[in-house]
Amino acid sequence: MDPNTGREPEENGVPAGGAAPGVPAFGGMRTGPDEPVRTVRLVAGRYLVTVNPLDGSEMEPCPPGDRPAEPARRDAEERAEAARAAAPPVPPGAPVHASRTATLEERGEETERLVRLLTRGRSVRLTGPSGAGRTRLLDAVATACAGVAPDGVVRLSGYHRTPTDLLYALLAAVHRTPQYRPDREELLRLLPGIGAIVVLDDLEFGGRALDELLDATPECAFLFSATPDVPAPSPGCPVEEVFLGGIGRAACLRLLERAVQRPLTDEETAWAADLWFESEGLPLRFVQAAALLRLRDRGGDAAGDGPGLFAPTAAGAPGRHHTPLPSAADAAAPAPLIADRLGPAAQETLRFAVALGGELPHQAHLPALTQDTHADAALGDLLGCGLITPAGGHYRLAATVRDQLTAAGYADGATARAHTAAQHYAWWAGHPSVTPERAAAEADAVLAAMAALTAGREGAHASAAVLLARTAAPAFAAGLHWSAWERGLRHGQEAARLAGEVAEEAYFHHELGVLALCGDHLDRARAELEASIGLRGVLSDRSGAVAGRRALALVADRERQSAEGTGTPPPPAPGAAVPAAAAPAAATSASAAGPRHARPGPATPVAGTPLVTTRTASAGKKDDETAVRPAAAGRSTTRRNLAAAGAGVLLAAVLGTVVTLGATSGDGDDRPGGPATLEQPTTPDGEPTTPADTWSPEPPPATSASATPSRESQSPSPSTGAPSSTSPTTSPTPTDPSTSPTRPTGRPTEPTGRPTRPTQRPTDPTPTDDPTDEPTTPDPTGPTGKPTGQSPSASDSQSGPAARTATADGSPTA
């Protein structure tokens, strides 16, 4: 038995034991030496997530045996039970019959029109100002549409919800998905099979976000409710727009009479007519006006001092004619006047609601917060007076009520009350009897307490917010309310920074990284996990750092999988060595190590490692014919497109030169230094040309196994220095030095369409006089014994140099 409420814990969700705050068990800190920390295992997409409140959540690829089965559909009884659990609780003693039936005055035409559109499969957006009675109209339409769709009517709340939140909520309303959150691909596969009428109140988005929601649910008809300040649907969106305004004067008078349960006097009728003109016929204003008249009938007594605020009063009762009617100013802002005439418990409840940004705690928490055992009954008075309104599964202050109460002084001491609420919720959410689902249902009030404490930017209050975030965030995760999980983690991270609690800040970074990885936001996950690892390294938290590195390894693995699927390699982890390519042991060396995956754009060079690039081939050649391919290892090389705009024209000119040479050249073996081949042309003086002026379309075919290159390198040859494939901008790679040099044939060879096999080993760019370093070319010093002394320039390699060769008589051609 709860000493604060007098009820069993199972009835209200608050555990027995009073309101004294203790150290929560779910938040990672034990209430006793022998009490274990509660962990929850759930499947999120491809991962098995263990929500660990002590050291941080852990992830691993989900084993096949732990994969959940196909989600089963709920039957009609289960859907009805889930809808009742998601509805806001009915406060004891609340006169809901008066307010709900009264606000449906003159709404019969709108109700019939909405039902007609929904039964035809059309989606509708009902737009109207706050206080127009949209929620009550949605209730009537949902009742009229019961049994129309195969999956019935699904009631959802868009209050502080994103499109992703609503998609998962719709799935959970129709399917049984315990401890399972499918990934985006699986979610979009299951949603098209749902055929329901979805009644969604308090929509907060429009435009492309609304298109995303509609596209994912093609078999559902939606009835949205939104205020005019919510963005409109995008052009062409298949949503009907229905505007809901105020009601007529006669309907307002009937509403007022039903609410006070008596006929109006002439004076009250005239007063109500002025109110109708000023309020534009909003039903909520007349519910509040009825509360003023009932208080006037009580002679200004508080609700707890008489027979009850909503007990009927006969005409001519004492006090009815002695209290004047409220003025026009009071009728325009009636919240303070109504609140001042309510009981102390109701007033304290309003002060807590103002401190929490308008969010009202569940009625089971009010006795502990207000220190009044009958405070839960005050919630009924507030609902009957029109000061609060439903918002999803809880209540919040009605439109403009918070501003009115703040101006009347109800915000005094708001930070202290938010601190009290944070301590209470930290104890409550960490109690073993509170389920994650129950904690997730109270998320809006809990998050409001965190936001209020972090906004004050005071260390003492921030520490309370840190404790609440450590306790509630794991519960939100286990309850599959992941948008609340993220908001709680960010509030906790900011609070930990303000309080100077570095270890807690590292925990929140770790959890944000895990959450981002579950959502496949890899860049965000990497940043959060690296921040957590860095902070834990400063604190020498070895176990926390190991958990962060494990999660970071999953990020790297996921990036690698994404790269293999899209052709884009992942960035290397900070400080991680670039993996060497697989190659036979006889042909592998440390200098030949390079990136494992090919990147279509420019590759980032690694310190101490030469860069190999390939260029685009001419028209008609396949991509795999232009890459520099190793003969033994079969590695993927890095390609970079540096071809200039005129590369095609240059290629045509060079190919023409090659054809001319093939038709006119002879053996030419009588020249000093050996024959002049396309691999090593000479100048008119008999000297070899520089690498920047040479282009080799194709080497002669190998005549023996010794002439076949065995591996590639990542540095161009200093002797040739230019590409040697069919593309004028392809860089070569040398052969293994253990192979035999290729013997020149003495005559040029026409291109065959295949890339060349470079035959030089990487050396210093400066030409050398040692002919043994140039096995495939004649003496590089030429017949005169003078080196060329020229190396390729950067501009030549970027723009494609003009190729110069030698004819049979030694004259150069361009």
Side-chain angles (χ1 to χ4, degrees), residues 71-82 150-151 171-178:
R73 305 180 81 89
R74 300 178 185 266
D75 55 24
E77 184 177 353
E78 290 176 325
R79 292 197 303 267
E81 180 62 26
D151 291 316
L171 179 68
V174 179
H175 293 82
R176 292 189 293 271
T177 58

Side-chain angles (χ1 to χ4, degrees), residues 16 228 402 526 593 621 647 651 656:
R402 184 191 176 197
R526 176 180 291 276
K621 292 184 173 59
L651 178 61

